[in-house]
Amino acid sequence: MHIIRLPLGKTAPPEADCVAIEQRADGRFDLNATALMACGDTDEAESVSLIGSEPYDRYDDAEAAGLAWAAEHCAGEVYISTLG
C-alpha cells in the first residue's frame, strides 16, 4: 500500500482511497475512510466506507486503525487527510 500524507486541512481527490482524521473539541480524534475495494483477481470494484468511528485518544491510533481498515479492503494508494 502506498501512503500519501496530505498537509493539514487538505482533502484527498474525490475518487481516491482516503483515511480522514479529524480532531474533536475534546482533543480526541474521529476516523472516516473510503476505499474502492477490488481484492483478488476480480475486475469488479465496490466502494466501501467507514463513517463515524469511536473516538481515538491519540492521532497515531486513529491513523493506524484507518490504514488497517484500508489494507483489509485492498486499497493500493491511500491519502491521509487531517482536519481540524
Side-chain angles (χ1 to χ4, degrees), residues 25-82:
D26 67 4
R28 295 185 295 169
F29 299 90
D30 288 328
L31 169 65
N32 295 298
T34 59
L36 189 60
M37 184 172 70
C39 297
D41 294 333
T42 183
D43 288 334
E44 295 186 28
E46 176 185 355
S47 180
V48 292
S49 298
L50 168 67
I51 299 172
S53 73
E54 292 294 320
Y56 292 86
D57 291 332
R58 296 177 349 112
Y59 176 91
D60 291 342
D61 294 339
E63 181 179 294
L67 290 173
W69 180 90
E72 288 173 11
H73 292 89
C74 305
E77 181 173 79
V78 178
Y79 288 81
I80 299 178
S81 176
T82 306

